[in-house]
Amino acid sequence: MNRIHALVVASVLVSAVLGRPTSTTTLLEGVVKSRSSYSPPVPKISSTFVANVTEVNRGFTYHLKMSYDGVSQLSRTSGDLYDATLKGMYYIDNIANVTAEFENLNNVCRQLPGGRFRDLFSWLPAAKYVGQKQANGKLCDVWQYLGDAPCNNNGCAIGVYEGNIPVILEGDLGNLEFETFNPMTFFPPNTFTFPEACTQPAPLCPATTVQSMDIFVAHPANIYSLPNQDVADLLGDVAFICLGGGSGGPNGYSLVSHMVLELDPSFGSYILCNGEPGTCIGEEPFFVGREATAGVGADRGGQCSPNVGVGSWYSLPKGGECKEGESPTFHGSRVNQDGCTWKVTKRVKTIELSCLQQHGMADACRADQTIPFASATKAFKTALLLCPDVPPSLQTTI
């Protein structure tokens, strides 16, 4: 299953790297066009700066510190966010260079596919002067560019104050408001140094023996296999569905299954697995990964914490799956990675997602609004009890 991660696409530079289509209409609305042919000089924004920026993305408002070195092609954005739905804090830290980008979310670091440093202002020399507009209390010159990279989808627009001070940037490179902007001649040491979470494997969770665990997973019809998939405990899966992850969408989910796993609870970092067959973001190829729902836990995203009232998500790497006739063994450290770390021992029941909704799941999610989704959990349990089982067919991938 594709376990939607609430903030993996949230920060400023993640939006830029992944090419999130955004709109430039807000900045361009109400622009006063010049009646003459006058056009101010093209802005020459400092290529090295530190700024406090605000981004509104998917209903969240982020207050971030940005360190930006366009000469060396390095950038870093970091800040805190409180998620009212999940009742938890996120610390976001993104670092990018010319070849790679890493997202460190609550001290869980993952390299983003295709991520790299993006020049926020490389398009300006080819931009067109649009006119002037009051933005954040300042009379800004507004410039727009519609063309090729890095402004492919909706273009880029910027409001510039007093010639060279950015106030608002909108479009394919993000929707940013610059609260402060300070050109820099040098940066303190370690400004762009990757944190230890990005350079060392996470310590494994303490454990003593192999254990059995009930898990739940949304998946497409006729695909019941779990290698390189993300699953959850009861509350974690209810939260996943209430957050929109069980609505079908591009992954083609139509079923939700209750299964039993046997696994080594020496949990590692949770990896983000997408699609069928699954491909994953993160470096945990052997041990079962774990985090609190959407990574809201302060302890490495909830890797080893109880996650009471929040629920847990688990990643099942293909490299740790047991072969036919094999059973998981307890490891306890990364030194020995022989054998396997997980296997499915039983499929308890599978139901249609549509039947889940017939028992009021969607209405319960809307009524609950926040973790722990008590009404939705009750509806989920009722549906599992009353909805007909959907067993694998002869064409099923198991």
Side-chain angles (χ1 to χ4, degrees):
M1 68 189 295
N2 174 9
R3 181 65 60 188
I4 294 176
H5 201 283
L7 292 179
V8 74
V9 295
S11 69
V12 174
L13 292 180
V14 175
S15 297
V17 168
L18 298 184
R20 299 274 172 235
T22 49
S23 171
T24 62
T25 57
T26 304
L27 180 58
L28 297 179
E29 287 176 357
V31 169
V32 178
K33 297 182 179 180
S34 174
R35 295 183 179 179
S36 68
S37 60
Y38 168 75
S39 177
V42 175
K44 295 181 179 179
I45 297 173
S46 175
S47 58
T48 54
F49 63 85
V50 172
N52 291 322
V53 299
T54 297
E55 181 185 23
V56 178
N57 190 325
R58 297 175 182 246
F60 294 104
T61 300
Y62 305 88
H63 299 283
L64 305 166
K65 178 182 179 181
M66 176 184 289
S67 299
Y68 183 94
D69 185 347
V71 176
S72 301
Q73 297 188 10
L74 299 167
S75 63
R76 185 170 199 164
T77 56
S78 57
D80 295 314
L81 168 74
Y82 178 74
D83 187 320
T85 300
L86 297 172
K87 299 180 180 178
M89 288 295 301
Y90 288 97
Y91 172 70
I92 305 167
D93 187 14
N94 276 71
I95 308 176
N97 57 31
V98 69
T99 60
E101 180 179 13
F102 288 83
E103 178 195 65
N104 185 17
L105 186 66
N106 283 353
N107 212 28
V108 178
C109 190
R110 304 176 181 95
Q111 183 173 354
L112 301 179
R116 58 180 177 79
F117 171 85
R118 297 294 296 270
D119 190 328
L120 294 178
F121 310 114
S122 62
W123 53 276
L124 261 176
K128 176 184 177 181
Y129 176 66
V130 179
Q132 291 186 316
K133 178 182 179 178
Q134 286 284 340
N136 293 345
K138 299 179 175 66
L139 183 61
C140 296
D141 292 320
V142 178
W143 297 78
Q144 183 183 27
Y145 176 68
L146 297 171
D148 54 10
C151 304
N152 295 309
N153 296 315
N154 296 289
C156 300
I158 193 169
V160 181
Y161 175 65
E162 292 186 347
N164 299 311
I165 306 297
V167 177
I168 296 178
L169 172 68
E170 290 184 350
D172 287 343
L173 289 170
N175 286 355
L176 312 178
E177 296 185 10
F178 290 82
E179 300 168 2
T180 63
F181 183 87
N182 299 301
M184 300 288 288
T185 56
F186 70 95
F187 291 92
N190 302 322
T191 297
F192 302 105
T193 300
F194 291 113
E196 185 175 313
C198 296
T199 59
Q200 301 292 330
L204 298 177
C205 297
T208 57
T209 187
V210 170
Q211 68 180 48
S212 180
M213 176 181 294
D214 289 86
I215 61 92
F216 302 84
V217 56
H219 57 92
N222 293 331
I223 300 179
Y224 289 64
S225 61
L226 296 184
N228 282 358
Q229 297 298 315
D230 295 338
V231 302
D233 62 14
L234 177 63
L235 179 53
D237 210 53
V238 169
F240 170 69
I241 293 171
C242 285
L243 292 169
S247 58
N251 298 290
Y253 299 152
S254 60
L255 305 175
V256 59
S257 287
H258 174 195
M259 300 185 185
V260 179
L261 299 183
E262 187 178 5
L263 55 77
D264 176 1
S266 307
F267 298 120
S269 292
Y270 178 81
I271 54 178
L272 309 175
C273 296
N274 304 285
E276 299 282 355
T279 57
C280 302
I281 300 174
E283 297 295 330
E284 197 63 78
F286 183 69
F287 290 97
V288 175
R290 183 177 183 269
E291 73 171 9
T293 294
V296 295
D299 170 27
R300 298 193 298 274
Q303 177 188 339
C304 303
S305 55
N307 302 333
V308 175
V310 178
S312 297
W313 291 354
Y314 301 89
S315 52
L316 304 177
K318 185 175 182 179
E321 183 184 20
C322 297
K323 298 180 177 63
E324 186 72 27
E326 191 178 19
S327 293
T329 53
F330 174 72
H331 293 79
S333 76
R334 294 186 179 275
V335 176
N336 173 20
Q337 297 193 18
D338 295 331
C340 59
T341 57
W342 67 272
K343 69 180 293 186
V344 178
T345 59
K346 182 180 181 182
R347 183 189 68 85
V348 179
K349 191 172 184 179
T350 301
I351 65 172
E352 298 276 358
L353 277 171
S354 58
C355 188
L356 189 67
Q357 302 307 340
Q358 290 169 15
H359 286 274
M361 183 75 177
D363 291 339
C365 289
R366 285 189 289 268
D368 289 334
Q369 294 187 340
T370 64
I371 284 286
F373 295 112
S375 299
T377 300
K378 183 178 179 180
F380 188 88
K381 290 180 177 179
T382 300
L384 282 175
L385 180 65
L386 299 180
C387 293
D389 186 32
V390 184
S393 68
L394 293 176
Q395 292 77 37
T396 295
T397 301
I398 300 177

